[in-house]
């Protein structure tokens, strides 16, 4: 899929999204970013989703509204109206017909890491699909179940989940150790017979609920990345081509966000197409830099300099693959339209592009306020501000 | 005290006062929008007016006067490239010149904002430390467009 157009779906009047290797959606709350990402997953994985809902006893009777309540979550059927339309690569999709009939392809093409990922480990262990309420969004249930399978199939043995020598490059592990985990190791222990994830250091084991907010947000994301980056020489998992991550920055310090962004580049270098929604200007700063490197023939070393990471062979290979990738940025406005702001020119006459979809508005106003106060101050008037050495 | 009188009283600016945004080139004027309720007191092309007397100085482009209910305020505007870090030093030099020169004129007594409008694509966003540093010295980076509002 290269293009998806949504019309009159929920708050979206029209969103015409042309995907890059990296596509980023920005905009205020409830402007349609998450709905768009879930429709992307639905269009790519209809058969799998239908099959999974049937398997776990969710009977939507072939009706689109009941299906959307099961897929998007309780009450969300209302996003689909009489004049709603979905187009994929320019062709209108007969959504009602598609939902009414079980689609053949049941392999997963898009892996979605939802914004609510912190809930998947609420008890310290990923919950199975059927343990959620029927009204919970499919994205959360499916992600949680995927983590459960990962834990059961690939981490049944002893030893820490992080750091682990055959998961992620050593450079990433070191960076994550510094920015997220400190001296802690992510391991599995048991309370009576119940397994749970803990962070351990010096013989002390901390359960999930006492981790820092950033660690609680990051661990489900890390496990998702483990799923997408299998051990060994395999670049990608199964038939997955798309990775969708909602708000990867949640709970994280900017240094940790940088490491997660490096891992996003790693995903892209492995051939995944990545779609993100974000409220972080740092994510757009990466896009800004990537597009400049692509247009002005920057190199892998330039990209690694952006992250202040070693120019090791592994990271250079990743950066070489990532530096030529195409990015797209869309701003979802509260009026229901999505605007391409990929140029991200702070001098653009288009206010939403200049403010990077509103993410720079406050910093621009802070600069304005400071400049105004200083320009009218006695220090400016006396010239003290410009004295030698200042 | 009025903007027009004080412009006339300033050495070399006397004959340079224009109505509205008339002192600005058409290209630069297009970078500024003026709210419907805004009344301008005129504008001066400072650079052009002082070029002969200060040929080697880092001159500032324009000053625009705005009428307010009981006073006037000034917008000191420089339209300048923002394509690389070299422009930061250039703007800093211009800001220093402006601060020193302004003190020699009656225009120093007005409330003011000092604004840099990018003349092309910008290499900086408002989170750039260099722009924060310039803000700490009184200069606001407005991107490619300045809106004058009440």
């Amino acid at each position: 899929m290269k293009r998806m157009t949504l019309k009159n779906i929920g708050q979206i009047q029209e969103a015409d999204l042309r995907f890059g290797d990296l596509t980023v959606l920005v905009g205020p709350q409830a402007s349609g970013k998450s709905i768009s990402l879930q429709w992307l997953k639905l269009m790519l994985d209809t058969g799998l989703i239908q099959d999974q809902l049937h398997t776990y006893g969710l009977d939507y009777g072939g009706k689109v509204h009941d299906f959307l309540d099961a897929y998007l979550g309780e009450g969300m059927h209302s996003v689909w109206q009489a004049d709603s339309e979905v187009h994929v690569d320019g062709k209108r999709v007969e959504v009602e017909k598609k939902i009414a009939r079980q689609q053949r392809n049941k392999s997963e093409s898009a892996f979605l890491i939802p914004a609510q990922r912190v809930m998947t480990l609420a008890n310290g262990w990923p919950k199975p699909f059927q343990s959620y309420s029927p009204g919970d969004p499919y994205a959360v249930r499916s992600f949680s179940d995927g983590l459960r399978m990962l834990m059961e199939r690939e981490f049944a043995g002893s030893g820490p989940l992080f750091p682990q020598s055959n998961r992620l490059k050593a450079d990433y592990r070191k960076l994550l150790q510094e920015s997220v985990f400190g001296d802690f190791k992510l391991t599995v222990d048991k309370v009576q017979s119940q397994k749970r994830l803990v962070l351990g250091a010096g013989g002390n084991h901390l359960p999930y609920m006492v981790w820092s907010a950033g660690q609680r947000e990051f661990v489900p994301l890390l496990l998702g990345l483990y799923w997408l980056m299998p051990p060994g020489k395999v670049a990608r998992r199964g038939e997955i081509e798309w990775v969708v991550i909602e708000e990867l920055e949640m709970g994280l310090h900017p240094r940790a966000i940088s490491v997660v962004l490096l891992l996003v580049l790693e995903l892209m270098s492995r051939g995944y197409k990545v779609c993100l929604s974000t409220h972080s200007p740092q994510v757009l700063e990466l896009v800004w830099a990537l597009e400049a490197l692509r247009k002005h023939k920057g190199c892998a070393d330039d990209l690694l300099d952006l992250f202040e990471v070693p120019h090791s062979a592994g990271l250079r290979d990743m950066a070489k693959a990532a530096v030529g990738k195409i990015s797209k940025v869309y701003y979802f406005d509260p009026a229901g339209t999505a605007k391409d702001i990929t140029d991200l020119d702070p001098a653009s006459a288009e206010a939403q592009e200049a403010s990077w979809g509103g993410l720079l508005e406050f910093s621009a106003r802070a600069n304005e306020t400071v400049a105004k106060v200083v320009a009218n101050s006695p220090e400016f008037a006396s010239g003290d501000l410009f004295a030698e050495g200042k | 005290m009025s903007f027009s009188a004080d412009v006339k009283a300033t050495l070399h600016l006397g004959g340079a006062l224009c109505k509205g945004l008339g002192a600005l080139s058409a290209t630069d004027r297009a970078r500024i929008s003026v709210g419907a309720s805004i009344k301008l007191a005129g504008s001066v092309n400072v650079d052009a007016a002082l070029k002969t007397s200060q040929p080697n100085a880092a001159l500032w482009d324009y000053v625009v006067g705005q009428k307010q209910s009981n006073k006037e305020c000034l917008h000191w505007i420089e339209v300048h490239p923002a394509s690389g870090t070299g422009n930061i030093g250039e703007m800093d030099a211009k800001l220093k010149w402006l601060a020193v020169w302004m003190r020699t004129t009656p225009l120093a007594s007005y409330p003011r904002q000092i604004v840099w409008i990018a003349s092309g694509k910008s290499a900086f966003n408002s989170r750039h430390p260099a722009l924060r540093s310039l803000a700490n010295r009184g200069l606001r980076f407005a991107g490619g467009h300045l809106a004058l509002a009440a």
Side-chain angles (χ1 to χ4, degrees):
Chain A
M1 187 195 296
K2 291 189 167 71
R3 180 181 176 192
M4 180 179 75
T5 310
L6 304 176
K7 292 183 182 175
N8 304 316
I9 295 179
Q11 59 274 61
I12 299 169
Q13 282 184 12
E14 179 161 351
D16 186 11
L17 309 175
R18 293 163 193 262
F19 297 101
D21 300 298
L22 173 63
T23 305
V24 181
L25 310 186
V26 297
Q29 269 80 27
S31 56
K33 304 184 297 296
S34 185
I35 294 264
S36 297
L37 294 175
Q38 290 183 81
W39 273 94
L40 171 65
K41 162 88 179 163
L42 176 57
M43 289 298 100
L44 290 165
D45 286 339
T46 315
L48 169 78
I49 295 163
Q50 290 172 318
D51 186 57
Q52 216 168 354
L53 293 178
H54 284 135
T55 300
Y56 292 114
L58 286 153
D59 179 10
Y60 54 88
K63 293 176 185 140
V64 69
H65 280 146
D66 291 347
F67 175 86
L68 291 176
D69 268 347
Y71 177 63
L72 296 174
E74 188 175 348
M76 292 298 285
H77 64 271
S78 60
V79 301
W80 188 258
Q81 300 137 23
D83 57 354
S84 296
E85 291 178 25
V86 179
H87 299 250
V88 171
D89 293 331
K91 282 181 69 178
R92 184 166 178 178
V93 179
E94 299 294 336
V95 171
E96 282 94 346
K97 284 186 186 168
K98 199 174 168 90
I99 296 303
R101 183 183 300 172
Q102 170 67 49
Q103 301 298 305
R104 261 188 246 163
N105 189 356
K106 294 176 186 172
S107 60
E108 184 166 45
S109 176
F111 186 76
L112 193 155
I113 302 180
Q116 307 96 319
R117 54 188 168 270
V118 71
M119 295 169 64
T120 61
L121 294 180
N123 299 318
W125 196 254
K127 292 199 287 184
F129 194 100
Q130 63 269 41
S131 72
Y132 286 85
S133 144
D136 290 338
Y138 167 89
V140 180
R141 306 175 76 179
S142 172
F143 177 69
S144 185
D145 206 48
L147 297 192
R148 182 186 61 78
M149 285 193 288
L150 173 78
M151 300 298 294
E152 287 175 3
R153 291 179 189 172
E154 299 181 24
F155 292 104
S158 59
L161 277 75
F162 183 89
Q164 190 173 102
S165 59
N166 67 346
R167 296 281 182 171
L168 306 180
K169 291 174 176 142
D171 292 307
Y172 299 136
R173 293 199 302 271
K174 184 168 182 288
L175 291 165
L176 287 174
Q177 198 86 58
E178 289 166 358
S179 62
V180 178
F181 290 108
D183 294 331
F184 289 101
K185 288 180 178 172
L186 181 65
T187 58
V188 177
D189 79 350
K190 281 185 183 175
V191 176
Q192 296 171 340
S193 58
Q194 175 62 57
K195 287 197 277 190
R196 61 176 190 169
L197 286 166
V198 292
L199 285 176
N204 193 20
H205 284 168
L206 303 178
Y208 186 69
M209 290 307 283
V210 302
W211 299 356
S212 75
Q215 289 166 336
R216 284 201 302 272
E217 293 285 354
F218 180 72
V219 167
L221 179 57
L222 174 72
L223 297 177
L225 294 171
Y226 277 180
W227 181 255
L228 293 162
M229 297 187 243
K233 301 262 182 215
V234 186
R236 303 207 305 253
R237 171 80 64 171
E239 294 179 40
I240 298 174
E241 293 177 14
W242 295 73
V243 178
V244 178
I245 308 176
E246 293 187 303
E247 300 182 30
L248 56 73
E249 70 274 9
M250 280 197 301
L252 298 176
H253 183 276
R255 284 194 198 116
I257 295 174
S258 287
V259 185
V260 176
L261 290 176
L262 260 183
L263 291 166
V264 166
L265 295 180
E266 173 70 34
L267 291 172
M268 290 162 62
S269 75
R270 289 169 180 245
Y272 288 115
K273 281 181 180 288
V274 178
C275 292
L276 308 173
S277 63
T278 188
H279 296 299
S280 166
Q282 200 172 338
V283 176
L284 294 195
E285 273 154 1
L286 170 62
V287 174
W288 192 33
L290 272 179
E291 280 295 283
L293 292 178
R294 189 174 65 79
K295 286 177 186 163
H296 303 293
K297 305 209 173 356
C299 64
D301 290 330
D302 296 319
L303 186 55
L304 295 179
D305 285 345
L306 169 65
F307 288 92
E308 286 190 299
V309 292
H311 293 211
S312 62
L315 289 183
R316 290 194 83 244
D317 285 347
M318 175 279 291
K320 266 186 207 165
V323 84
K325 301 284 185 182
I326 293 172
S327 305
K328 299 290 285 182
V329 181
Y330 287 91
Y331 169 67
F332 281 66
D333 71 22
T337 58
K339 182 177 170 46
D340 183 343
I341 58 166
T342 306
D343 277 353
L344 295 174
D345 178 11
S348 170
E350 298 288 335
Q352 292 307 338
E353 183 184 324
S355 71
W356 291 14
L359 298 184
L360 298 180
E361 269 174 15
F362 193 79
S363 60
R365 280 206 304 277
N367 285 355
E368 181 181 348
T369 301
V370 170
K372 188 178 168 189
V373 170
V374 173
N376 289 282
S377 70
E379 293 77 17
F380 184 94
S382 67
D384 281 359
L385 279 177
F386 303 95
E388 208 60 38
K390 289 205 174 178
Chain B
M1 149 177 140
S2 77
F3 177 61
S4 58
D6 286 331
V7 166
K8 284 172 190 161
T10 299
L11 189 62
H12 303 301
L13 297 195
L17 181 66
C18 299
K19 283 187 177 173
L21 295 177
L24 281 71
S25 70
T27 316
D28 291 346
R29 212 179 303 142
R31 300 179 195 284
I32 299 172
S33 59
V34 182
S37 63
I38 299 298
K39 290 183 179 167
L40 297 180
S43 58
V44 176
N45 186 329
V46 177
D47 188 312
L50 298 181
K51 212 164 203 104
T52 308
S53 60
Q54 301 191 47
N56 299 316
L59 301 173
W60 200 260
D61 280 344
Y62 308 109
V63 60
V64 174
Q66 179 180 336
K67 291 178 182 170
Q68 292 182 322
S69 53
N70 54 358
K71 58 180 180 186
E72 290 170 312
C73 68
L74 307 187
H75 307 280
W76 296 90
I77 296 167
E78 174 73 23
V79 182
H80 198 80
S83 54
T85 47
N87 300 132
I88 298 289
E90 292 160 8
M91 287 305 298
D92 198 40
K94 282 173 174 284
L95 185 63
K96 270 185 203 165
W97 174 85
L98 178 64
V100 171
W101 174 79
M102 196 193 298
R103 282 206 305 277
T104 68
T105 77
L107 300 173
S109 59
Y110 289 78
R112 59 186 158 261
Q113 70 162 340
I114 305 171
V115 187
W116 170 12
I117 301 176
S119 58
K121 285 205 165 203
S122 172
F124 313 105
N125 70 41
S126 52
R127 297 191 347 144
H128 196 288
L131 294 187
R132 297 261 158 93
S133 175
L134 286 173
N136 271 335
R137 291 155 85 82
L139 178 62
R140 170 191 170 197
F141 178 69
H145 187 84
L146 175 67
L148 299 184

